[in-house]
Amino acid sequence: MLVAASAAATTQKCNSDNCLRALRRFSKAAVPFCQTYIKVPTITVTVPAIATVTPSVTALPKRAAPAVPSFVASFPASRISSGCSCLNVPPVTTSVYASVTTTTTITATSTTPTAGPSCSPIFTLVGASESSFNPKNTAFSIKLPCDILNAGNYTVFANGNPVTTTGTANSITLPGFQDDYVFLAIAAFDIYGHPFFQSFRMLFGSISMPVLVLGPDGLPAPNVLVKANATTYPGIGQSGLTDATGKFIINNLPSTTIGLLAQSNNNTIGVNGVAATPGQITLQLTPFNVPNDFFNLDFSNGTAGWSAGTLIDHVETKKRVVDKDLVLSTGGSPSLQSTSSTWKTYPFSKTAYIRYRFITSEVPGGYFGTQYNDYFRVTIRADTGAFATVTHSMNELGLGAFDSIGATQWYTLQLQIPKAKAIQFDVAVSNVADALLDSQVVVDQAGDLTCDQCGDCTQCPGDPMCQASCTNPAPMTCSFYSNCAEAEVPDCDNGYALNYGQKNCLKFQSNLNLFSAAGQAFIWNTMHCLQLALIPALNCDATCASVRSAAFASHPACYVASGFCDLDPFDYLALFWTIWPDLFSAESGQQVKDTMAGCAGLIAQRIETRIEELTASVVDAVVNAAKAAALKAVRQFFLDLTVPKPVT
């Protein structure tokens, strides 16, 4: 290697003023900025021939003056020039390659991040799953699609605590976990110097629960589909068919509420909600009944046509009319309580709907967030086989869903029923873990509708966006995405409502303990802002694409309005863990980054201060070292936002 030129050493008196301190603190971003700002000398390096290269030189337009990073933007140009001169900025190195004789690829190295990796740094689980129940104390791994992990510069946490792992350039091996719920989070650098983050929301268990399914005749029912879901963690579950004896065993269950649904090919269903147990659970299939010859869908004829329930008075706030509601209560019973009703439809009926609310004594009793996680399910079936169901538990709905007496807002479930001649409504509610405090489902009205006029809530009261729970969603809840957005514009491929909105809202809800009090307020304020911003898009002309576009367009403003720039350093880490890479979607990623760049320098300074505090602390040195390493990845992300973009 031949050095053609070298920089002359210059000696000058350097006063450690605030400008120089800022440049030193953010040296990784400051060095490339200063190299251009004060025009340091250039070193030309000739590299010996090692590969065939046909060099081509393209003349680039003259670059504009570099933008001043936010961490020194408040200082005059003379102070910045002086500070850069005292920073010991190395010369800029350029390479000239000699003539070569064989074909290969030359990779240049740099002290600053290069353009980017050849593949996306996104881990996948190997030997475990986010969507099913995993065995406790069993090792598994996470794997990248290519060899880009800096195996010496990553940290892994489980529920906020550092985990000892082994890593290679493309994988990390993790030990088994004993906890039922694990929020697995990674903060890492790739080999190019870019930080990235990821998390997995996982359930681990050791309970095997046998489920026996009986037909309407009381005999074991083979070949029936059984679905088990963790009601507090939607999207995590297990399913399978019953064997010849009518049994299906659900494995690796944690100690949490499990919702059960058995569904046969002949339109019979069985439901239950239980705390996971090694004891056998029996589900009896309920047939599609013979429809009644009269109508009692508003309970004007008492409970006629309904298999169970009692009546209470209900005052409609707008109409000021007293009518009746049907109440199905757990009534001190440890077993599932249910009611159903079957009705004929008109030839011109288009939809069926049921309006209901959930009330539980567990909330005012102080048992929210405990194992006493009472559960309910509401289902609509048609004689054509059409089917719609919704299930919730107290903890999954979130504390914000309940008022002081433990009641939710009114919800609506609807089903498209073209060609149906009969419909059946099935309602079930269950105590969980014990039967001391009761819960109930209150049904205000059920029926079939002939309307198809979008936006007409008088003629089409079953429309989700006609409900107060959708036009004014309760703060600190996530059900808006499934009950309103998805219900209004259903069946979107990779749709925003379920695959982004609900998914990330529930991840935040499950991991609020990772955030400071101010961070938790930021999360819920942002979630509520995003839900309110989406309401105008759920109109009569809404499509999957228009809903997705409107939703992502609201993200930057909601982040800033909710106080993104003023969070604690660890809140940014928890935020990135939770929604990276969804935070930077194709629709709004650059807009979000541009919004964050306005305060990136100040955030990086706060993070640097916290890193210094953690490094200096002698208490919990191992834990603090892991936290400091993770914060360095967050700091680098914000520093990268302050680096001027190259002009092309």
Side-chain angles (χ1 to χ4, degrees):
M1 179 179 293
L2 302 176
V3 178
S6 64
T10 302
T11 302
Q12 70 176 80
K13 180 180 175 67
C14 291
N15 296 317
S16 186
D17 59 10
N18 289 336
C19 180
L20 180 56
R21 290 191 187 97
L23 290 168
R24 285 172 174 168
R25 172 170 289 181
F26 301 102
S27 59
K28 194 162 187 178
V31 166
F33 161 71
C34 287
Q35 285 176 326
T36 305
Y37 194 80
I38 61 175
K39 297 181 175 60
V40 299
T42 298
I43 291 179
T44 302
V45 178
T46 302
V47 180
I50 57 173
T52 294
V53 177
T54 303
S56 62
V57 178
T58 302
L60 297 177
K62 184 177 180 180
R63 292 189 292 184
V68 178
S70 60
F71 52 82
V72 291
S74 61
F75 300 105
S78 59
R79 293 273 296 281
I80 297 174
S81 297
S82 175
C84 283
S85 299
C86 293
L87 195 60
N88 296 322
V89 179
V92 177
T93 301
T94 61
S95 299
V96 175
Y97 295 96
S99 177
V100 288
T101 57
T102 57
T103 301
T104 188
T105 300
I106 299 176
T107 302
T109 61
S110 173
T111 57
T112 57
T114 60
S118 57
C119 68
S120 297
I122 298 177
F123 287 106
T124 55
L125 288 163
V126 178
S129 172
E130 270 196 295
S131 60
S132 62
F133 306 116
N134 300 289
K136 286 188 173 183
N137 303 314
T138 302
F140 61 97
S141 63
I142 53 177
K143 188 175 179 63
L144 291 171
C146 55
D147 297 344
I148 58 172
L149 175 66
N150 183 339
N153 200 357
Y154 73 85
T155 52
V156 179
F157 293 78
N159 297 335
N161 299 309
V163 179
T164 301
T165 65
T166 56
T168 67
N170 67 2
S171 68
I172 300 173
T173 301
L174 301 111
F177 293 104
Q178 179 63 31
D179 292 342
D180 288 350
Y181 172 77
V182 172
F183 182 66
L184 188 68
I186 304 100
F189 284 89
D190 64 25
I191 58 176
Y192 303 92
H194 298 287
F196 65 100
F197 308 83
Q198 197 167 342
S199 66
F200 299 93
R201 185 167 164 259
M202 307 176 71
L203 289 183
F204 295 85
S206 57
I207 299 173
S208 293
M209 185 171 73
V211 177
L212 171 64
V213 179
L214 302 178
D217 56 6
L219 298 176
N223 204 38
V224 173
L225 177 64
V226 176
K227 298 179 181 179
N229 70 288
T231 61
T232 306
Y233 308 97
I236 301 180
Q238 184 181 341
S239 63
L241 297 175
T242 57
D243 61 19
T245 66
K247 290 185 179 180
F248 174 69
I249 298 177
I250 307 165
N251 294 310
N252 305 321
L253 288 176
S255 298
T256 189
T257 306
I258 303 298
L260 296 171
L261 171 66
Q263 190 173 9
S264 72
N265 293 327
N266 59 357
N267 206 10
T268 60
I269 65 170
V271 301
N272 208 342
V274 299
T277 173
Q280 179 172 285
I281 301 298
T282 300
L283 300 180
Q284 181 145 14
L285 297 174
T286 302
F288 191 92
N289 298 316
V290 176
N292 295 293
D293 292 327
F294 60 94
F295 292 94
N296 186 28
L297 298 174
D298 60 357
F299 313 110
S300 57
N301 291 321
T303 59
W306 291 82
S307 61
T310 58
L311 295 182
I312 60 171
D313 289 338
H314 170 72
V315 177
E316 290 290 350
T317 304
K318 293 182 179 180
K319 299 179 181 179
R320 309 305 302 172
V321 174
V322 177
D323 62 5
K324 298 293 184 180
D325 291 343
L326 181 75
V327 177
L328 178 68
S329 174
T330 54
S333 173
S335 60
L336 184 85
Q337 303 299 299
S338 63
T339 186
S340 61
S341 186
T342 312
W343 308 93
K344 293 179 179 178
T345 60
Y346 294 104
F348 38 83
S349 295
K350 294 182 173 64
T351 61
Y353 79 98
I354 182 170
R355 188 170 185 254
Y356 64 93
R357 72 193 306 188
F358 178 57
I359 304 176
T360 178
S361 299
E362 303 286 1
V363 169
Y367 292 98
F368 178 84
T370 69
Q371 70 270 33
Y372 307 111
N373 185 28
D374 292 3
Y375 149 101
F376 73 92
R377 183 184 290 270
V378 178
T379 303
I380 307 175
R381 286 184 279 171
D383 60 350
T384 59
F387 180 89
T389 188
V390 62
T391 180
H392 290 293
S393 65
M394 173 183 67
N395 292 340
E396 176 260 329
L397 283 170
L399 187 58
F402 299 92
D403 62 17
S404 60
I405 66 168
T408 68
Q409 294 175 293
W410 291 100
Y411 301 127
T412 297
L413 176 68
Q414 69 174 359
L415 173 69
Q416 301 297 318
I417 54 168
K419 301 180 180 179
K421 296 180 180 179
I423 53 175
Q424 180 164 313
F425 301 97
D426 300 289
V427 180
V429 63
S430 180
N431 283 317
V432 174
D434 71 14
L436 294 180
L437 295 179
D438 287 325
S439 294
Q440 55 189 231
V441 175
V442 182
V443 179
D444 174 48
Q445 194 174 45
D448 61 321
L449 301 169
T450 61
C451 67
D452 57 3
Q453 300 176 23
C454 175
D456 187 343
C457 293
T458 300
Q459 297 297 320
C460 306
D463 191 321
M465 295 311 295
C466 292
Q467 314 308 316
S469 57
C470 293
T471 58
N472 185 27
M476 297 190 294
T477 61
C478 300
S479 58
F480 169 85
Y481 293 107
S482 59
N483 291 349
C484 306
E486 176 66 15
E488 188 71 11
V489 187
D491 303 324
C492 293
D493 183 25
N494 195 31
Y496 177 90
L498 300 183
N499 294 288
Y500 188 100
Q502 177 178 265
K503 179 188 75 172
N504 289 317
C505 187
L506 290 171
K507 286 179 74 174
F508 281 125
Q509 179 174 282
S510 299
N511 301 294
L512 282 175
N513 62 304
L514 298 178
F515 293 85
S516 68
Q520 292 181 25
F522 164 79
I523 292 302
W524 285 129
N525 289 338
T526 301
M527 291 297 102
H528 197 227
C529 176
L530 294 173
Q531 292 172 22
L532 293 177
L534 191 56
I535 291 172
L538 299 173
N539 54 45
C540 298
D541 299 320
T543 64
C544 295
S546 68
V547 169
R548 185 179 178 89
S549 177
F552 280 117
S554 68
H555 283 204
C558 284
Y559 295 148
V560 173
S562 300
F564 176 85
C565 292
D566 302 315
L567 297 177
D568 181 86
F570 282 113
D571 289 334
Y572 296 112
L573 177 60
L575 177 70
F576 288 173
W577 273 340
T578 306
I579 57 174
W580 188 290
D582 286 350
L583 183 63
F584 309 110
S585 66
E587 293 87 345
S588 65
Q590 190 57 52
Q591 189 178 2
V592 169
K593 287 184 178 181
D594 290 344
T595 301
M596 291 179 177
C599 55
L602 295 175
I603 293 173
Q605 290 182 38
R606 294 205 306 274
I607 295 174
E608 176 64 24
T609 299
R610 184 62 59 85
I611 292 173
E612 292 172 354
E613 293 171 354
L614 291 169
T615 304
S617 176
V618 295
V619 180
D620 295 328
V622 174
V623 173
N624 286 338
K627 291 180 177 179
L631 284 180
K632 288 178 181 178
V634 182
R635 179 190 61 184
Q636 186 60 50
F637 168 80
F638 286 110
L639 287 177
D640 289 346
L641 293 182
T642 69
V643 176
K645 296 183 179 67
V647 178
T648 58

